[in-house]
Amino acid sequence: MAIDAATVRKVARLARIAQPEERLEPLARELSGIMAWIEQLAEVNTEGVTPMTSAVSMPMPLRDDVVTDGGDASIILSNAPKSSGAFFVVPKVVE
Amino acid sequence: MSDLTRLTLKAALDGLQSKTFSSVELTQAHIDAVAQARALNAFVLETPEKALSMAADADARRAKGEAGPLTGAPLGVKDLFCTKGVRTTASSNILGNFVPEYESTVTSNLWRDGAVMLGKLNLDEFAMGSSNETSAFGPVVNPWRRNGSDAKLTPGGSSGGSAASVAADLCLGATATDTGGSIRQPAAFTGTVGVKPTYGRCSRWGVVAFASSLDQAGPIAKTVEDAAILLTSMAGHDAKDATSLDVATPDFASFVGKSVKGLRIGIPKEYRVDGMPAEIDALWEQGIAWLKDAGCEIVEVSLPHTKYALPAYYIVAPAEASSNLARYDGMRFGLRVEGGNLMETYENTRAKGFGEEVKRRILIGTYVLSAGYYDAYYLKALKVRRRIADDFDQAFQKVDALLTPTAPSAAFGLGENANDPVAMYLNDIFTVTVNLAGLPGMSLPAGVDVNGLPLGLQLIGRTLDEGTLFSLGGALEKAADFRAKPAKWW
């Protein structure tokens, strides 16, 4: 299915990536080319096939629900673009 | 002492053990080689002081009789592995100055066994690429050149820095990762040995995530035995990775040199693709002949869904990537580019921080996961993935391993495929099936093409049967007797 500029604008918004208007058409062409190539999957009969959701079949391991680490805000904040005290500083979220 | 860099890892460990040279001497020789090889752009960060300090520690431990399996051996680390206190970027501007407060499990295992870190190696941004050209630090240049030409060639990707540095004798071995072929294709392009182990063999904890159901760490090395030594240290169960397999790690080196007599080797007919250079087909035939001489039985097998592996991969991997890379929002770590409000800050940060190929894959992933398309694309791809895995299951009822070419061409020129994403994706046509099925695969150098460039053969094994691959790899290595090295121009 061909992807148009409006779809690219919508998907870029969902992905939180700013795209200038002049990039939308070229991106639509690129993505359409890739998706057209991917369309060949429709040829494969997958009737009754269970989707493969894990590379190796194994039961999900469980562990005790206990605290194993933590309590050092300075480590967590060491790479923060902006912080204050023991907090991340983020743009205003609630008006 | 510069000849110390010509040693294999095994020979270097033997030399350290016999006190022929110290780790400080060995490490200094490699530090000097790295400093002289900046034209290759293989390292994004050199850590010579750390290396010498680790080397001095290694010498002290060896003197006390406390040497581990890798004590004193200088290695390179792909810059996708988090290293405590040492900048880790995934070759992306969005992680430009990220300094991890923790160490990845795989590198922890290497340091536990005594290895020395020379620095961090260049890669395609977030490991998304097959030529190293998507790196924010610029591409790695392959130490190999075509005969009589000085054109710059790609070392392959995404582990281009790892492969180039091993090929150029800058380190004794390197860590790498493989999501669709990122260990094996660069190994083939540089005349080195690369092993992607079974999914779950090496912990993914502390490795910057690309596509979590496909990502797997492994070594790039000078010989099959060196790769076995490195993988034995890197692998092992880790409770911090829920997909880490709780199985014992064998001494992989003990499989190298074992007889392969009587093993049945499958030749998948679907891997004979149109337009493949005749030399690669000839090399494949040669590989078959070598294994026959070694006593293997050759069996033609069919993997009928092979041609659908790449399109399925280009749904599954971008879908997982779009989810994994959502964490780069400019709030807790990495780059932040302010906007007028929260949404603009997110959008500006990610627009500025990610390169074009990463953005392209995030957009594809977001598209195939979005409302109305999930079943048609993502679920469909997961079903095709099952059929690809089933193909291998059926083949492995008849054979013990498969032999294929690693890549459909030798190393190509930087810039040659840069404007056609699908042409670039086709590099992984022989390797990506293995990731989708979670199987172990190995690439080893087996010959050179008409231009004198290395070509690789790939062995594919059953789940957790890396041992057989090391035995077969050892037999092929012995038969091929590949000794060519790139002429030093850097």
Side-chain angles (χ1 to χ4, degrees), chain A residues 11 13 15-16 18 23 30 38-41 43-46 50-52 56 61 78-81 88-89, chain B residues 98-99 101 199 242 308 315 330-333 336 343 347 350-351 356 360 363 377 380 382 386-387 436:
Chain A
V11 171
R13 186 80 175 166
R16 303 289 187 264
R23 277 292 294 151
E30 273 176 37
I38 285 173
E39 289 293 338
Q40 57 179 302
L41 289 182
E43 297 164 15
V44 184
N45 180 3
T46 51
T50 314
M52 184 166 165
V56 173
S78 66
N79 280 286
F88 292 102
V89 175
Chain B
F98 181 66
V99 179
E101 291 283 356
Y199 183 83
Y308 301 108
I315 290 178
M331 297 300 124
R332 292 150 301 157
F333 52 85
R336 180 189 291 186
M343 181 69 120
E347 291 189 341
R350 291 162 64 81
E356 290 309 312
R360 193 182 285 137
L363 293 177
Y377 290 121
K380 179 77 183 182
L382 293 184
R386 170 82 60 195
R387 302 218 64 170
L436 289 168

Side-chain angles (χ1 to χ4, degrees), chain B residues 8 16 62 102 135 141 188 249 255 260 271 280 286 315 354 369 411 414 423 430 445 456:
Chain B
T8 64
L16 289 166
R62 192 174 287 279
Y102 49 86
S135 168
V141 182
T249 304
F255 290 90
V260 296
Y271 280 53
I280 291 184
Q286 178 64 68
I315 290 178
F354 292 136
L369 291 175
L414 288 170
F430 301 138

Side-chain angles (χ1 to χ4, degrees), chain B residues 78-99:
Chain B
K78 185 178 183 179
D79 203 24
L80 204 62
F81 292 82
C82 286
T83 41
K84 189 173 180 180
V86 177
R87 190 191 70 177
T88 301
T89 67
S91 285
S92 178
N93 285 325
I94 212 155
L95 277 173
N97 288 306
F98 181 66
V99 179

Side-chain angles (χ1 to χ4, degrees), chain B residues 56-175:
Chain B
D57 284 353
D59 285 334
R61 273 203 305 281
R62 192 174 287 279
K64 281 192 273 182
E66 294 168 2
L70 291 171
T71 293
L75 305 177
V77 174
K78 185 178 183 179
D79 203 24
L80 204 62
F81 292 82
C82 286
T83 41
K84 189 173 180 180
V86 177
R87 190 191 70 177
T88 301
T89 67
S91 285
S92 178
N93 285 325
I94 212 155
L95 277 173
N97 288 306
F98 181 66
V99 179
E101 291 283 356
Y102 49 86
E103 186 79 29
S104 82
T105 298
V106 163
T107 48
S108 293
N109 292 345
L110 291 172
W111 315 146
R112 172 202 67 204
D113 285 353
V116 168
M117 180 166 83
L118 287 165
K120 304 297 290 286
L121 296 162
N122 204 348
L123 67 148
D124 280 293
E125 184 179 5
F126 285 107
M128 296 182 194
S130 302
S131 66
N132 232 277
E133 290 167 294
T134 73
S135 168
F137 296 96
V140 176
V141 182
N142 196 328
W144 291 83
R145 289 172 160 180
R146 295 182 184 117
N147 290 335
S149 160
D150 62 0
K152 290 179 174 176
L153 304 180
T154 174
S158 67
S159 309
S162 306
S165 65
V166 172
D169 291 328
L170 309 185
C171 54
L172 293 173
T175 70

Side-chain angles (χ1 to χ4, degrees), chain A residues 1-3 7-8 10-19 23 27 30-31 33-35 37-46 49-56 58 60-61 74-76 78-82 88-93, chain B residues 97-99 101 199 213 242-245 305 307-308 310-312 314-315 330-334 336 338 342-343 345-347 350-351 356 359-360 362-364 366-368 373 377 379-380 382-387 389 421-422 425 436-437:
Chain A
M1 171 195 283
I3 296 175
T7 306
V8 175
K10 181 180 151 221
V11 171
R13 186 80 175 166
L14 287 172
R16 303 289 187 264
I17 299 175
Q19 289 289 358
R23 277 292 294 151
L27 263 172
E30 273 176 37
L31 298 184
I34 295 168
M35 293 311 295
W37 169 71
I38 285 173
E39 289 293 338
Q40 57 179 302
L41 289 182
E43 297 164 15
V44 184
N45 180 3
T46 51
V49 175
T50 314
M52 184 166 165
T53 51
S54 174
V56 173
M58 59 181 267
M60 178 59 87
S74 65
I75 287 179
I76 302 294
S78 66
N79 280 286
K82 259 189 188 172
F88 292 102
V89 175
V90 302
K92 196 170 174 184
V93 178
Chain B
N97 288 306
F98 181 66
V99 179
E101 291 283 356
Y199 183 83
S213 81
T243 60
S244 169
L245 296 171
H305 296 90
K307 70 176 272 210
Y308 301 108
L310 268 175
Y314 275 95
I315 290 178
M331 297 300 124
R332 292 150 301 157
F333 52 85
R336 180 189 291 186
E338 302 286 353
L342 180 68
M343 181 69 120
T345 302
Y346 287 150
E347 291 189 341
R350 291 162 64 81
E356 290 309 312
K359 286 182 200 171
R360 193 182 285 137
I362 291 174
L363 293 177
I364 292 172
T366 306
Y367 176 69
V368 300
Y373 299 111
Y377 290 121
L379 211 56
K380 179 77 183 182
L382 293 184
K383 289 177 180 176
V384 173
R385 184 176 183 182
R386 170 82 60 195
R387 302 218 64 170
V422 173
Y425 298 168
L436 289 168

